[in-house]
Amino acid sequence: MNPKAVTGSEVYKAFSGDLEKEADYKEMVEALKGCNLEVSSFDRFVVGATAKEDFVAVVEAAGIGKDENATCIINKIAEESGEEANNSVSNKDGKKIVQFADGRAYLVNDNMLAIATTSWEDKVGALIDGEGKPAVDNSKKDLYGAIDNKAAVWFVAAVPTEVSAMGAMFGAPELADVKTAAGSLDLSSGVGVNLIVDMADEAKAKAAADKANGMLEEVKKAPQAKDFDSTMKSLEIKADGGKITIKAAASMDDINKAKELAPGM
């Protein structure tokens, strides 16, 4: 995620008033202020995780890697988790770290903080030293190259069986055949969505795309659809080999219109 691109977008400004009233959002803002940080100072936020609960988060923001700011943030996280908030900076293999109950934080430099769970903490340390390969240049290389990694928000994922199997619960059993997914969200002008799912089977991908297009045609017949003609026309679902690409774009006019209609829908 590029937080500055998100918070600077017109769509964020349209909904920020509602968001900023939320208790969780207010709590987060106050916590950051208490650690000499602001949401608007976050340049990049990258998260990686597995179904086995391995986890890493890397944040690039002015001052976040300074000793007092990093320990402040980590101790606030510890407090929220019900753990002792008495973590401090130490040195390991020439790197500044904060070791805590179930992982480690690396103070990479004054403006970067990397937090990893125990199973990944040494691997993250190796990457900081320039050893090994990051996921986007290894197991996720092809997915990473298929989407706009400069977008405000993007993701790449191997879809766990536990997740894809949930498709049947929502009336979409085809999701059980999805192997990988990648997507991006462009907020430079309204909202642009690009999603790629790989079913690794051409016949299944075509059948799923045909079904989705059939559902889309029904949606377009709804009375309110005519009020969002440009958005409806932008919706595109295509099968290409074993992959399905879904694209859509909504202008700020349509987004504001939807916001106005939402309370009565």
Side-chain angles (χ1 to χ4, degrees):
M1 178 185 291
N2 179 337
K4 284 186 176 178
V6 173
T7 57
S9 68
E10 290 302 313
V11 69
Y12 178 86
K13 293 172 185 175
F15 291 93
S16 61
D18 296 326
L19 175 62
E20 289 165 6
K21 292 175 185 176
E22 295 291 330
D24 289 345
Y25 183 85
K26 288 181 178 179
E27 187 176 326
M28 179 191 72
V29 170
E30 288 305 312
L32 290 173
K33 283 184 178 178
C35 296
N36 304 312
L37 299 164
E38 295 183 10
V39 175
S40 59
S41 71
F42 281 51
D43 291 299
R44 286 187 294 171
F45 181 57
V46 182
V47 174
T50 71
K52 296 179 180 179
E53 298 186 358
D54 303 313
F55 177 84
V56 61
V58 182
V59 186
E60 186 177 25
I64 198 168
K66 292 183 177 180
D67 291 21
E68 64 274 19
N69 298 341
T71 51
C72 179
I73 285 291
I74 292 163
N75 283 327
K76 284 187 182 294
I77 294 172
E79 286 177 6
E80 289 295 318
S81 304
E83 301 172 4
E84 288 188 24
N86 59 356
N87 299 291
S88 58
V89 177
S90 59
N91 192 289
K92 180 176 177 58
D93 301 326
K95 291 183 281 293
K96 291 165 70 173
I97 69 163
V98 175
Q99 193 73 46
F100 47 94
D102 54 358
R104 180 185 301 162
Y106 290 92
L107 286 64
V108 184
N109 56 48
D110 281 355
N111 303 319
M112 186 178 290
L113 181 69
I115 302 175
T117 48
T118 303
S119 57
W120 277 0
E121 60 185 35
D122 289 333
K123 293 177 181 178
V124 170
L127 288 172
I128 292 171
D129 288 336
E131 300 171 3
K133 284 188 175 183
V136 294
D137 194 31
N138 195 355
S139 60
K140 303 292 185 294
K141 186 175 182 178
D142 291 342
L143 289 173
Y144 183 66
I147 51 95
D148 179 9
N149 51 66
K150 303 297 183 185
V153 181
W154 59 267
F155 78 93
V156 296
V159 181
T161 304
E162 300 91 333
V163 175
S164 57
M166 291 174 65
M169 296 171 57
F170 299 98
E174 296 84 1
L175 291 179
D177 296 310
V178 175
K179 308 302 180 187
T180 65
S184 61
L185 197 63
D186 181 2
L187 303 180
S188 59
S189 177
V191 176
V193 178
N194 184 30
L195 177 65
I196 304 168
V197 295
D198 191 349
M199 304 180 82
D201 184 295
E202 186 171 351
K204 288 180 178 179
K206 185 180 184 305
D210 287 346
K211 180 179 178 180
N213 275 311
M215 294 170 65
L216 179 58
E217 288 305 313
E218 291 302 312
V219 170
K220 289 180 178 179
K221 294 175 184 177
Q224 290 171 325
K226 67 178 185 299
D227 294 326
F228 304 95
D229 188 54
S230 63
T231 299
M232 290 293 105
K233 286 180 178 177
S234 75
L235 278 164
E236 182 181 281
I237 304 172
K238 287 184 177 180
D240 181 10
K243 295 183 176 65
I244 299 172
T245 300
I246 303 168
K247 293 183 179 181
S251 67
M252 282 308 303
D253 285 344
D254 278 1
I255 291 168
N256 286 322
K257 198 182 300 179
K259 186 182 178 185
E260 290 172 8
L261 291 171
M265 291 175 67

